[in-house]
Amino acid sequence: MKPTKNNLNIYSLTFRLPIIIWQLLFFVGPVLFMVAMSFFLVKNYRMTEAFEFINWTKMFSKNYFWDSYWFTIIIAGTSTLLTMLIAFPASFTLAFKVSDNIRRWAIFMLIIPFFTSYLVRTFSWYVILAEKGVINAFFSYLDLGPFKMLNTHIGTLVGYMTLTLPLVIILQTVTMANIDRNLIEAAYNLGCKPKSIIQRVIIPLSKTGFIIAAVFCFILSFGDFVAPFYLGGSQEPTLPILILDTTKSGQQWPRAAVVAIVMMITLFSIAFIGIMTAYSKSFKK
Amino acid sequence: MTKEKYLNFILITYLIFIFVFIFTPIAFSVIFSFNSQRFPTIPLGNFSLEWYIKIFNDPGVWQAAINSVIVSLVTCILATFLGFCTAYSDYRYRFKFKGLYLALVLLPPTIPLIILALAMLAWLSKIGMSGQLWSIICAHSVLTAPFAMAIIRLRLNQIDPDLESAAWNLGGSEWATMRYVILPYCKPAIISSLCLTAAVSFDEFAISWFVSGLNKTVPVIILEIVQGNIDPQVNAIGTFVFFTSMTLVITAQIFFLTWQMKGKNK
């Protein structure tokens, strides 16, 4: 049975309407209200509804906003690049060097951390990376260190990877495992060296999946406040930390809304560009 | 050949190293929860249940645990219901603006939680619903419904396309077909979805923290303890949290894999 054409009756609407109502109430409503809120005024710690551009001009004229903006983009971008590179050999191994059964088990294992408390895992890293933590205690046996890892970019990056690495490996593995093996064998039989098989066969064929993995990785790192706050030390606040500070301590919800909207626009542009490039070349063939 | 074996060995070692990286924080959280030191490091201190006793005697933690259970239970039922309805609509009907309809459902998880949290906080205070358990439940159901929808949609893909029309031809009404054919068929996916959405809701902290007010859930308690000092209580709570969500995720996966295999054998 093919999907039936639009016929509006009680039965079909019973299934179609709940989510529309729910998302309008608790998703579209909040997001639109946040956009409206960015034009509200705050007087004597109370928010009054208005239509003024003062929050936008105030935020855009502040240096710390732009510093934080570029810092967030750079560190999330670095994290995306590193995560993709670190994940690749692992995904490659899972896709080509192990049996189907082991691959299934590995993916099974990799899904688990994605759905278990990121917060507790971050705290665990805090203890492991600390000045007197596990890693430095280990180094002291070798008469090395102590190395400062907490409150540095390394801390932030480790935190981001805790969040993104399992997902990126899953997406890369699934993409590469779906490549037609005959193509790789053909390249091999035609005398292609392993290195150029990776460069000229595997990577071009998995472009779409890789870009999607990178986009997800960027979105997750860009929007995360836990890693830069607890592991990165928050001296250089990222945009999520800026939202947090502005909302929690300053009572400046409208300005936090400005930051949030800028973040959303940035993410949508990056996701859009990513998806366009991911699907672009496949038309040319 | 030996060169390739050598390379394979390196790759497998690398893979194991990556898995160690991923599971290290989980392992250490569990180990440190039984460790007597105030600032846990190696060499380990003595085995101790101190932190567990401490959290068991803390009424705040109990209250948070009860709140978390309520929130994730209601969320998982609500999200699975919403996800099922949406998946079925997508499977069964073609209609105008279907792309928009699906985007509306699938978009929330791609928006950073901190932004959703701010938007929810502002909106729920506006409509006078903030600071209650219900506020968290509404937000979580929006966040988790896409996961439910995706899982159930995959199951509906496997359904024999003639099954539904066969039931109608035999005189079953649409409602009866739903009740006796579609729902039983989707049961494993529904169970998977209940577990997975419960797990997501159980671990979510950003939105909960923003909108919960005084009704804290477990992740919010953890966040507040962590903000203060290093306190191994977090490891004890964390161990509970891990085992709860891992049980849920693994159950979800077992149901998912079981029907995936059955689908392939057909």
Side-chain angles (χ1 to χ4, degrees):
Chain A
M1 188 186 67
K2 275 190 181 159
T4 330
K5 249 219 153 148
N6 188 21
N7 52 344
L8 293 172
N9 52 38
I10 294 175
Y11 182 78
S12 73
L13 290 179
T14 311
F15 293 100
R16 206 175 305 164
L17 287 181
I19 193 87
I20 298 181
I21 297 167
W22 201 256
Q23 300 295 88
L24 284 179
L25 260 177
F26 297 112
F27 178 57
V28 178
V31 171
L32 289 183
F33 185 70
M34 188 177 72
V35 175
M37 189 170 77
S38 70
F39 300 103
F40 290 0
L41 291 175
V42 176
K43 277 178 188 157
N44 303 325
Y45 299 103
R46 285 188 68 93
M47 202 164 63
T48 46
E49 298 188 8
F51 189 76
E52 301 280 348
F53 284 89
I54 180 144
N55 301 306
W56 288 87
T57 49
K58 271 260 164 69
M59 272 328 257
F60 281 178
S61 65
K62 294 250 167 37
N63 278 333
Y64 69 77
F65 172 75
W66 291 110
D67 288 348
S68 157
Y69 183 78
W70 293 114
F71 174 65
T72 315
I73 288 194
I74 290 168
I75 193 141
T78 314
S79 145
T80 307
L81 195 69
L82 276 178
T83 311
M84 291 294 288
L85 288 176
I86 290 174
F88 182 76
S91 321
F92 181 83
T93 316
L94 281 177
F96 298 114
K97 300 285 178 186
V98 299
S99 67
D100 286 2
N101 221 357
I102 291 179
R103 184 185 322 129
R104 220 173 283 135
W105 269 103
I107 291 179
F108 185 95
M109 297 277 287
L110 287 169
I111 290 174
I112 297 172
F114 195 68
F115 289 100
T116 48
S117 179
Y118 171 51
L119 200 58
V120 185
R121 280 184 290 151
T122 310
F123 177 72
S124 200
W125 275 121
Y126 184 91
V127 173
I128 296 168
L129 297 177
E131 202 103 338
K132 290 175 186 161
V134 177
I135 292 182
N136 274 323
F138 179 75
F139 275 129
S140 71
Y141 285 122
L142 308 169
D143 279 329
L144 291 169
F147 297 105
K148 188 174 161 65
M149 285 170 285
L150 268 189
N151 305 333
T152 64
H153 297 328
I154 299 174
T156 310
L157 290 174
V158 167
Y160 284 156
M161 272 177 215
T162 310
L163 186 65
T164 56
L165 195 59
L167 182 73
V168 171
I169 296 181
I170 291 175
L171 291 174
Q172 285 188 350
T173 305
V174 172
T175 312
M176 285 194 281
N178 282 333
I179 294 176
D180 188 348
R181 294 301 161 103
N182 292 329
L183 292 174
I184 296 167
E185 227 156 83
Y188 188 75
N189 290 340
L190 291 169
C192 206
K193 295 231 166 61
K195 200 180 147 204
S196 45
I197 290 185
I198 293 181
Q199 275 174 1
R200 298 171 67 176
V201 182
I202 295 177
I203 290 181
L205 282 174
S206 18
K207 198 182 88 184
T208 311
F210 279 19
I211 292 178
I212 287 172
V215 167
F216 266 108
C217 185
F218 188 84
I219 292 179
L220 285 174
S221 315
F222 194 73
D224 172 46
F225 70 91
V226 175
F229 194 83
Y230 292 103
L231 302 176
S234 77
Q235 280 95 358
E236 287 171 281
T238 58
L239 292 180
I241 294 178
L242 211 58
I243 295 185
L244 200 68
D245 284 348
T246 331
T247 323
K248 285 275 175 187
S249 50
Q251 297 292 328
Q252 276 285 3
W253 291 8
R255 284 187 199 171
V258 171
V259 181
I261 295 163
V262 172
M263 275 179 77
M264 274 174 78
I265 294 171
T266 311
L267 281 182
F268 281 136
S269 324
I270 287 173
F272 182 76
I273 295 168
I275 289 166
M276 289 308 273
T277 38
Y279 289 100
S280 63
K281 279 251 173 73
S282 49
F283 287 110
K284 274 188 189 165
K285 265 180 218 163
Chain B
M1 201 62 213
T2 41
K3 199 183 160 197
E4 200 186 325
K5 264 190 183 160
Y6 186 62
L7 186 72
N8 285 354
F9 176 74
I10 292 177
L11 282 173
I12 299 281
T13 316
Y14 183 82
L15 184 66
I16 292 168
F17 174 77
I18 293 287
F19 269 83
V20 169
F21 172 83
I22 290 172
F23 287 94
T24 291
I26 301 183
F28 271 108
S29 184
V30 176
I31 294 169
F32 285 148
S33 71
F34 294 108
N35 187 14
S36 60
Q37 291 155 328
R38 182 139 259 287
F39 190 90
T41 183
I42 49 172
L44 294 170
N46 302 320
F47 178 84
S48 140
L49 290 174
E50 191 187 339
W51 314 113
Y52 285 93
I53 293 165
K54 220 171 162 185
I55 59 169
F56 268 108
N57 293 326
D58 186 341
V61 173
W62 277 107
Q63 189 52 49
I66 294 168
N67 286 343
S68 271
V69 169
I70 295 173
V71 168
S72 47
L73 258 180
V74 182
T75 301
C76 76
I77 294 170
L78 210 57
T80 304
F81 168 75
L82 290 167
F84 178 82
C85 291
T86 317
Y88 182 72
S89 299
D90 177 42
Y91 158 76
R92 168 78 196 278
Y93 297 104
R94 277 186 299 165
F95 46 90
K96 263 187 195 168
F97 306 119
K98 194 167 166 183
L100 190 70
Y101 174 81
L102 292 176
L104 187 70
V105 186
L106 297 174
L107 217 49
T110 63
I111 293 178
L113 289 170
I114 186 101
I115 295 178
L116 278 183
L118 174 67
M120 284 286 174
L121 171 68
W123 173 251
L124 293 173
S125 340
K126 167 81 180 167
I127 62 174
M129 258 187 72
S130 95
Q132 296 150 28
L133 284 187
W134 266 109
S135 351
I136 311 178
I137 291 168
C138 293
H140 280 185
S141 57
V142 167
L143 185 71
T144 54
F147 293 104
M149 140 93 188
I151 295 171
I152 294 166
R153 188 67 185 82
L154 280 173
R155 176 64 172 165
L156 284 169
N157 265 346
Q158 295 182 333
I159 211 166
D160 186 337
D162 296 325
L163 210 60
E164 222 181 350
S165 14
W168 299 333
N169 289 341
L170 292 168
S173 68
E174 281 187 314
W175 294 103
T177 311
M178 170 55 69
R179 166 75 184 79
Y180 293 105
V181 179
I182 307 281
L183 273 179
Y185 193 86
C186 290
K187 203 171 120 195
I190 289 173
I191 296 172
S192 275
S193 143
L194 285 171
C195 294
L196 214 58
T197 49
V200 174
S201 162
F202 194 76
D203 288 330
E204 200 287 323
F205 51 89
I207 298 177
S208 310
W209 187 34
F210 270 59
V211 304
S212 64
L214 296 172
N215 298 298
K216 291 167 190 156
T217 59
V218 173
V220 178
I221 290 259
I222 296 177
L223 201 65
E224 287 182 350
I225 298 177
V226 171
Q227 275 178 330
N229 253 318
I230 301 276
D231 188 337
Q233 273 190 72
V234 171
N235 293 320
I237 305 176
T239 303
F240 274 110
V241 173
F242 277 136
F243 281 111
T244 313
S245 33
M246 266 195 232
T247 314
L248 288 168
V249 177
I250 293 172
T251 315
Q253 286 185 310
I254 288 172
F255 272 95
F256 186 87
L257 288 178
T258 319
W259 56 258
Q260 282 290 38
M261 302 285 171
K262 272 186 198 154
K264 267 176 199 153
N265 289 342
K266 245 196 311 190

